[in-house]
Every structure is written in structure tokens, then in C-alpha cells.
Amino acid sequence: METKNVMIVGVGGQGSLLASKLLGRLLVDEGYDVKVSEVHGMSQRGGSVVTYVRFGDKVYSPVIEDGEADFIISFEKLEAARYVDKLKKGGTVIVNTQQIDPMPVIIGAADYPEDVLEQMEQKGVHVDAIDALSLAVEAGSSKACNIVLMGRLAKYFEMDKDKWEAAIRNSVKPQFIEMNIKAFELGYKN
Amino acid sequence: MKELLIGNAAVARGLYDAGCAVISSYPGTPSTEITECFAKFEDAYCEWAPNEKVATETAFGASLRGKRSACCMKHVGLNVAADPLFTMSYTGVNGGMVICVADDPGMHSSQNEQDSRHYAIASKIPMLEPSNSQESYDFARLAFEISEQFDTPVLLKMCTRVAHSQSIVETREKATDTEKPYEKNPQKYIMAPANAIRRHPFVEDRTKALADYAETSELNRVEKGSKDFGIITSSTSYQYVKEIFGDDVSVLKLGMVNPLPTKLIRDFAKELKTVYVVEELDPIIETHCRNIGVDVIGKEKFSITGEFSQKTIAKAFGLDDKYSVKLEENIPVRPPMMCAGCPHRGMFYVLSKNKITVLGDIGCYTLGSAAPLNALDMTLCMGASVSGIHGFNVAGGEETEKNTVCVIGDSTFMHSGVTGLINIAYNQSNSTVIILDNSITGMTGHQQNPTTGYSIKGDPAGKVSLEKLCESIGINSVRVVDPYNLEECERVVKEEIAKDEPSVIISRRPCVLLKYVKPKKPLKVNPEKCRSCKRCMKFGCPAISFRDKHAVVDPTLCIGCGVCAQLCPFDAFESEEQ
């Protein structure tokens, strides 16, 4: 199997590391060779963060480069636009419609481009926009955005839904399992 | 058992399974997780030391006693540990000793892009360089074997991509009976000139023996391909080369980067029309190839700066033609910044407002240099703010003394700020040192340090009092302020810089990300009161933004610190807190 590439991007503190942990575990259990690359440290302080997940028969590079991503899962609108050049032709951007102003916007040095999703669509990108924050709140916590987005990704994967749910059970603390399963379902359905 | 592990976790596991009994480290991205993961093994000793020199000497002491030991640090940490490093090369070891050092090509979280391989060459210590998590595990184990077989510490070199990438690792049974007895051996361990002069030839002979080992070791391997050119590579660059060429091209994959093999490289090159060297940062392998008469193409094709990827390598070979979406929109950057409620922000606001020259240091508070606070004038290395302000004031005299401070975090002060303060106390410059005490090592992800009162395992530990330490050094004026109280901060800063003696201000408030710090209810902006003066925007709090001509507070980010309320001339920020 040719290597598949999933990028998870967002703003430091949004919980993208749990999403990549979940996905990584699931793919290892499926018997794939897997590489997950993340950058720690400075970028966690509210900066732009990116995690690469690659899987297939044999994976070499831990990073995803321009035109290689099958999926970009973005926790925030602007971040989807920032990394859209990594998308493969025919790839899909799954994006949480949340807007988080970066510092240049906060201090008035730049404007937040409101129509980035439309701009991407005009370039022929398949954009699957979802209000993951509201769905996460519906599931019980705004922190479950990551699992809502994983639920959305699961729709595109030819993999039994039960396996995703089992991976969730193995990745989160017992008291948060039910809430996260609900978040996953909401992402999957809506 | 197969597990998906980051390189650093794999190193920790490899060290442990090799029987490593003592680890002493100072945190530093991208090396921190090695020690954090090792701390989870209950039957091995693990600690945070105040700095890398102390950590390395502690590990050396454990090795001297006969236990397998290790220390871990980032690339710039090895500068701090360089003093013991060079002479440990002469003494060699008793129990095996591994020094893990993590480089940061691309500077994801560092102040420079130095290449640690130079240290291996300069100190004549062997260096292994894994390219994925399995090798991180295997090489960590093998490093102890090499250490004891050749009587030398061994450097295990990581880089950001190997350290922080997860790949599948298969672990093996833990080694047993690795401890050695301690026997007094002055000729080997007392490095006074008479002994050291006899140890130097030993080091040279050892390097020759290690070079022979490099010729046949499984660490270095040839993968034959069909093309008429070949590539010599190591570390993560190997993965990028394989990503592009698969099994088509011949590859000499080097797992041991010091000393480098000679015959192996010559034999590899002999059958090929062209040989490329693909290595991040400096041309170490390339220079060696040229020195042994092997003509290679290296840095003229592959950059000496920054991180590689499959794209950069493909581009150098003229192969990069991938489809890529480009938006016309200029996407605003999203730099890292101090968190909402960060205690550093209040102090930086005061310093910025009063146009004070601020010599900075290494930590989260380096972010005080960013807009809108733009509060810093200098950042060099760990501790340099304190030594630097002394030199600045000695050179500038009264003109600078009355308008300059330096800022340094609690952990960085313990690391190497205290020696600079001793110099200030001894040579009596009128310098004002602000210790930003957030009660944790913040930037690297919350590690305990000597001022927090807890060990790496979270157990109660000794606690250094910053006040008592500064006073005992001879600083007569030591004041403590709360950075959430802007009026107090401003008053005390002005008073202390006006004094004709050295002084220390401890700006104390725990990091808001600490679990025991309970956030207050978020503030709200009363739109009736907000007059759109944007004064609060000069504070740079990520929880405050400007929408529909008024400031608004993001309730998911605000922790209710209330500093913005002190800034607002119209009392528009309202708190629900009782």
C-alpha cells in the first residue's frame, strides 16, 4: 500500500497531540508501519502547531511535504489555509470553523482573512467544514474538539467504527471515555 | 513487544533495558522526554540537576562507582558540559556512560543551530546517531557496550525529528549484572598533568581502535541500489533519502558518526560514478570523505542551514514537481506567545511602559521580546542576562545603571544566573536583577527545579530559597513583588534601579498552566464602558481581542488574572468573582 498522509494542525493548547496519539495507536493495531511527528517546546505557547501522521507498508520520512497530504485536519480556520499547500491533489481538508486570532490580528497589525475556506474551495480543494467546538460542547466539553474531528476523519477511512471507539477507550482516562465516544459519534454523524 | 514511541522515549527505554541505574539531566528541547520517560522506571535513579555540567559530572560519579549511567541535554547544553566532557575522554569510565545530546536543526526551540558532532571529534569521544525510534532504542543499548569495551563515554546524538517522531519499537529483555566494583585507580581518574599526559596516548590509541570498529560494526551499513550514483548519509537525512529513492540508489547509512570509517567509505565509492553526502548542518562526513581522498558532492548541493525534508533533498536532485495549492491570501503569522494570565506579562508591561533597557535570558519569558510588548534588548544563552547586565553597567556607568534591568527565570537563575549574580555582588555594579519566579521550568514543559521543592518524580525535595541565596551572596536589597500588581511592580522597579547598590527583585507568581493554580472566573468587557482606547491591546493578552469597536474577552482563554482591569482607564473589565 502506498503511504497515506494525515496532517493535524491547530493552535498550541487545542489538543492535537491526543488526536495524533489516538490515530497512531489505531493504525499500529491495524498492522501498518506508522510514523507520527510532532514538534514540542516553543510552538506549544499559543503558536501554530503541526503533527504529521504517516502510515503504509513501509514509512521512511516522518514529515509531510508540499502536495503530499491525503487529509489535513485543522482545528482552526486560518491554520487550514496556512498548510493547504501540503495537500495532495484530490485530498480533503477537514476544518473546525472556529476562529482564533493570532497576535498580529489581536494587536491590529494584520486582518483575519474571513473567507479562507471559500478561497480554498475556489482553488478546487475539497473542504469539509464542521463546527467541532459546538459539537464538543454538546458532547460535554469544549476540549473534545479533537475527538469530534477524529469522528469526522473516520467517515473517510475504510475501517470499522468499533476499532476507532476501542482506540478512544485505550487513549483517554476512564472518566472521560463516554464523553469522548459521544464526541466521536457527533463528528461522525454531522 | 511492539510500541509506537517517540525517539526520546525509545532512548529512555534503551538506556533502562541496558541496565542504566543513574540519570542526571537538565531539561532542554528536544531532549527533555528522555529523562522524563526514564523517571517512570521505579527501580532506577533519576534527577533534574541545576545544569548540564552538574548533570554530566553526576553521571560520571555514578560511572566511577561502577554503575551504568547517563545524562541528557540539548545541543547548547553540551557547551555547558564541555568542561567535564573533554577530560572524561581521558579518564574513560568504570560503569558504562552515555551522554545523550539532541540537536535542533531548523531551530524549532533553540537560539542557535550548532552541530554537536564537532564535540565528538574535538573530545575524541565516539558518537552514535540513530535515524528512527528503533535505532534510538538499539543504539542506546549498544552505546553502553561500546563505552565499557573501549573505556570511553559515548555520545548518543539525537535531532528534533528523531527525538520527537514516533515510530514502532520492538524492545528486548533487560540486561542484568551490569554493575562493576569500585577500585581506587589514581593514574586513571586523577587528571593531574603527570597522569593525564599518560592518558592522552591511550585516547589516541582508542580512537584508532574505534575507527577499526567503525569499519565492520553493524552501526554502519551499505544498502545496494541499481543506479550509478550513491549517497552517504545518517540520522533523519537517511529517511528522506529513502523516501525519495527507495531501494533504487546505493546508500551508505552511518550510525556511528565519530570516528568515521575509511575503508568502508572508499569501497562504497569505488563502484559508483558519483557519491553524494546528505547530512544536516555542517559538512562533517563530507570533510572526512575529502580527507581520505573520496570525491563527494555535499554542501554545494544541500544546505548548510536549517532542517532537511524529502522536499529539500528532492529539489537538490531536480526531482521536486509536486502539485501544491497556493492561496493568494497573505496568511498572518501565528507566533508562540505568553499564555493568557502569564505572570511574566505584567512585569514586561511595566518595563516596556517605562522604556527600560532589558537584558533577557532563555525561557518562556524570551517571548517578552515579541509585539506588542517588545520588552527585550538581548537574549544570548542561559544565565547571560545577569553576567551581561554587569558588563553593560560597568561599561555604561550611571547612564545605564538607572535605566537597565535584566530578567531571568527561576530555573535559568539556578542553572547559571547565580554565578553572574556573585560577580555583581563581588565587583559591586549597580545592577538590578529581576528573577521571574514562576515556580517551574516553563518552556520545556514544566520540569521541577531546585527552587520548587519537588523532585523529578514529584516527591518532596530540597528547596533553595531565592531570597536567602541572594542575600547570602551579598545582595542587600532583595524585594519580592506580585507581577499581577502593576502598581507595586512599577514602584519597586523604579526604587531599585535608583539605588546605588546591586539589587534583586523576585517577581513571584506560579505559571498559570500548573495544575494547582486554580483559574478565577473570566472577566467581561462592559461595552457601555469601553471607549475603544485600545490600551488593553498594548498588553498583548491572547484572551483579549477587538471586535465591533470594543474589546472582548475570550472566556475559554481568560483565567481571571485581572491585570487588564488595572490597565483600563474606564473600568470596562468586570469580574464576576466575589
Side-chain angles (χ1 to χ4, degrees):
Chain A
M1 185 194 112
E2 200 183 322
T3 301
K4 291 272 181 198
N5 300 313
V6 180
M7 268 179 87
I8 304 172
V9 303
V11 178
Q14 278 192 302
S16 60
L17 288 185
L18 177 64
S20 62
K21 186 177 153 193
L22 175 75
L23 192 54
R25 177 169 293 203
L26 180 72
L27 295 165
V28 170
D29 290 348
E30 284 295 291
Y32 293 110
D33 187 24
V34 181
K35 281 196 176 165
V36 179
S37 185
E38 52 210 31
V39 171
H40 306 193
M42 198 111 174
S43 52
Q44 288 179 325
R45 300 283 171 266
S48 172
V49 292
V50 46
T51 306
Y52 309 107
V53 181
R54 310 192 70 213
F55 62 102
D57 294 336
K58 175 72 189 163
V59 181
Y60 288 109
S61 170
V63 302
I64 296 168
E65 264 294 359
D66 292 0
E68 293 181 347
D70 294 277
F71 295 94
I72 294 176
I73 299 155
S74 182
F75 283 54
E76 201 270 351
K77 274 198 303 185
L78 193 62
E79 296 313 304
R82 189 184 313 285
Y83 295 103
V84 72
D85 56 353
K86 305 285 182 206
L87 198 69
K88 188 182 273 182
K89 199 164 201 168
T92 296
V93 175
I94 297 171
V95 55
N96 175 20
T97 51
Q98 195 178 353
Q99 172 176 340
I100 301 174
D101 289 353
M103 194 45 78
V105 173
I106 289 176
I107 64 172
D111 290 323
Y112 192 103
E114 306 278 349
D115 63 341
V116 280
L117 300 186
E118 291 77 6
Q119 286 188 43
M120 281 192 269
E121 281 176 330
Q122 279 161 18
K123 294 273 177 187
V125 174
H126 177 227
V127 178
D128 183 359
I130 174 171
D131 183 358
L133 184 61
S134 298
L135 294 172
V137 171
E138 191 184 328
S141 168
S142 60
K143 288 183 180 157
C145 257
N146 45 15
I147 304 299
V148 173
L149 290 166
M150 286 296 106
R152 194 60 159 203
L153 178 68
K155 278 178 79 165
Y156 295 89
F157 272 46
E158 290 166 10
M159 208 184 285
D160 199 357
K161 213 170 83 182
D162 292 348
K163 288 181 176 168
W164 286 84
E165 299 198 349
I168 291 171
R169 285 177 204 281
N170 287 327
S171 300
V172 304
K173 286 183 183 160
Q175 64 266 40
F176 300 123
I177 288 175
E178 284 320 306
M179 188 262 288
N180 279 298
I181 297 284
K182 194 176 173 194
F184 178 84
E185 291 289 344
L186 286 169
Y188 193 88
K189 276 186 210 145
N190 287 280
Chain B
M1 186 185 160
K2 277 187 180 180
E3 280 180 273
L4 194 60
L5 296 178
I6 58 167
N8 281 347
V11 170
R13 191 61 202 269
L15 295 172
Y16 178 74
D17 284 351
C20 180
V22 175
I23 284 194
S24 182
S25 304
Y26 185 79
T29 313
S31 72
T32 311
E33 299 82 6
I34 303 173
T35 310
E36 286 184 322
C37 292
F38 193 87
K40 289 177 187 148
F41 302 121
E42 282 181 9
D43 55 345
Y45 181 81
C46 187
E47 67 174 26
W48 291 127
N51 68 33
E52 295 85 354
K53 180 178 186 290
V54 174
T56 303
E57 290 157 351
T58 299
F60 173 76
S63 159
L64 181 67
R65 171 57 188 79
K67 296 249 176 119
R68 287 190 166 180
S69 69
C71 54
C72 313
M73 61 204 70
K74 68 185 293 174
H75 58 329
V76 285
L78 194 54
N79 301 336
V80 180
D83 197 359
L85 182 82
F86 279 75
T87 308
M88 281 177 345
S89 177
Y90 280 38
T91 63
V93 300
N94 184 22
M97 180 175 168
V98 177
I99 302 157
C100 307
V101 56
D103 284 13
D104 190 16
M107 291 181 277
H108 295 279
S109 199
S110 303
Q111 65 269 40
N112 76 23
E113 219 173 12
Q114 71 187 47
D115 189 328
S116 293
R117 294 177 297 172
H118 291 293
Y119 272 109
I121 296 166
S123 65
K124 303 179 183 190
I125 289 175
M127 178 180 262
L128 312 186
E129 191 176 39
S131 73
N132 61 18
S133 297
Q134 184 65 57
E135 286 186 354
S136 298
Y137 175 82
D138 293 337
F139 289 13
R141 289 192 73 146
L142 185 58
F144 280 112
E145 310 288 333
I146 295 171
S147 173
E148 288 172 6
Q149 185 186 337
F150 292 92
D151 191 10
T152 177
V154 174
L155 285 154
L156 181 70
K157 191 206 143 206
M158 305 294 281
C159 68
T160 302
R161 282 300 163 199
V162 176
H164 287 168
S165 293
Q166 301 174 44
S167 55
I168 296 169
V169 178
E170 203 165 351
T171 56
R172 300 188 303 278
E173 211 169 298
K174 189 177 187 305
T176 51
D177 298 326
T178 55
E179 189 173 343
K180 296 193 168 166
Y182 171 70
E183 281 164 29
K184 186 165 175 163
N185 188 348
Q187 287 77 25
K188 185 171 182 324
Y189 293 115
I190 299 177
M191 282 302 96
N195 293 333
I197 208 156
R198 291 191 188 93
R199 289 299 290 180
H200 189 183
F202 161 78
V203 172
E204 299 306 324
D205 290 345
R206 182 183 69 201
T207 298
K208 281 187 197 128
L210 281 160
D212 288 343
Y213 173 82
E215 300 289 355
T216 55
S217 166
E218 59 188 17
L219 286 161
N220 302 325
R221 66 168 187 267
V222 173
E223 297 172 8
K224 291 258 187 204
S226 53
K227 289 197 191 299
D228 62 355
F229 67 93
I231 296 171
I232 304 175
T233 186
S234 71
S235 185
T236 189
S237 299
Y238 164 79
Q239 304 292 352
Y240 304 140
V241 164
K242 293 296 281 188
E243 180 77 27
I244 298 160
F245 294 108
D247 297 331
D248 291 346
V249 60
S250 292
V251 172
L252 171 54
K253 198 272 186 193
L254 298 171
M256 186 167 184
V257 289
N258 186 59
L260 287 162
T262 298
K263 187 172 179 296
L264 185 65
I265 291 174
R266 283 185 182 144
D267 289 351
F268 175 74
K270 221 179 273 175
E271 295 166 20
L272 298 161
K273 208 169 149 192
T274 316
V275 176
Y276 298 92
V277 175
V278 181
E279 57 186 325
E280 285 182 326
L281 302 179
D282 293 342
I284 305 273
I285 300 169
E286 178 185 339
T287 304
H288 172 76
C289 289
R290 296 230 166 92
N291 286 347
I292 60 168
V294 174
D295 192 26
V296 293
I297 296 170
K299 289 298 160 189
E300 61 265 53
K301 211 169 176 62
F302 312 101
S303 178
I304 198 166
T305 63
E307 203 181 18
F308 287 173
S309 70
Q310 59 268 38
K311 186 188 169 189
T312 56
I313 309 297
K315 226 174 171 176
F317 282 101
L319 298 169
D320 185 44
D321 56 353
K322 285 216 169 99
Y323 153 93
S324 180
V325 184
K326 294 269 179 280
L327 298 183
E328 278 89 51
E329 185 72 48
N330 201 2
I331 307 295
V333 295
R334 191 186 297 275
M337 55 194 169
M338 289 184 286
C339 305
C342 176
H344 300 325
R345 186 178 283 106
M347 181 54 85
F348 279 130
Y349 176 78
V350 164
L351 298 174
S352 179
K353 181 187 163 201
N354 288 284
K355 297 187 170 53
I356 291 170
T357 301
V358 183
L359 306 192
D361 224 293
I362 306 285
C364 282
Y365 45 91
T366 311
L367 298 170
S369 62
L373 292 163
N374 303 310
L376 294 183
D377 290 68
M378 181 278 276
T379 298
L380 183 68
C381 66
M382 298 285 285
S385 65
V386 188
S387 333
I389 192 177
H390 176 70
F392 196 72
N393 286 340
V394 166
E398 211 165 298
E399 185 196 324
T400 60
E401 286 167 7
K402 305 297 179 198
N403 194 39
T404 306
V405 299
C406 75
V407 292
I408 183 166
D410 46 320
S411 184
T412 309
F413 183 73
M414 282 292 112
H415 179 283
S416 47
V418 65
T419 39
L421 189 65
I422 291 170
N423 195 33
I424 288 173
Y426 171 45
N427 288 306
Q428 287 287 304
S429 65
N430 288 337
S431 297
T432 303
V433 175
I434 300 177
I435 302 174
L436 300 170
D437 177 10
N438 65 352
S439 309
I440 202 74
T441 314
M443 184 56 103
T444 44
H446 282 184
Q447 289 73 34
Q448 303 294 343
N449 70 54
T451 69
T452 66
Y454 292 95
S455 73
I456 188 171
K457 299 198 179 193
D459 300 326
K463 183 171 165 47
V464 174
S465 157
L466 286 169
E467 292 93 317
K468 283 185 186 164
L469 176 62
C470 296
E471 281 161 9
S472 69
I473 285 169
I475 306 294
N476 296 320
S477 187
V478 179
R479 313 264 301 265
V480 180
V481 298
D482 178 0
Y484 278 180
N485 185 334
L486 296 180
E487 184 279 322
E488 181 192 30
C489 283
E490 188 160 8
R491 178 169 44 78
V492 171
V493 167
K494 282 181 175 171
E495 284 170 11
E496 292 306 313
I497 55 177
K499 280 184 185 165
D500 286 326
E501 64 173 336
S503 54
V504 169
I505 301 168
I506 300 167
S507 177
R508 180 170 287 151
R509 189 58 63 185
C511 172
V512 289
L513 299 181
L514 284 165
K515 283 205 177 98
Y516 67 81
V517 176
K518 296 288 169 224
K520 292 183 182 174
K521 280 187 183 159
L523 273 65
K524 274 186 186 158
V525 176
N526 183 339
E528 304 283 308
K529 289 185 180 173
C530 176
R531 297 201 203 162
S532 317
C533 73
K534 292 195 175 178
R535 193 156 168 185
C536 54
M537 307 306 288
K538 288 182 188 157
F539 190 51
C541 176
I544 307 173
S545 54
F546 210 72
R547 297 260 157 85
D548 303 325
K549 294 180 183 168
H550 291 297
V552 287
V553 175
D554 181 342
T556 64
L557 289 176
C558 177
I559 60 109
C561 75
V563 180
C564 53
Q566 298 169 45
L567 288 172
C568 180
F570 310 109
D571 296 327
F573 288 90
E574 293 175 351
S575 167
E576 287 174 37
E577 202 80 25
Q578 296 305 305

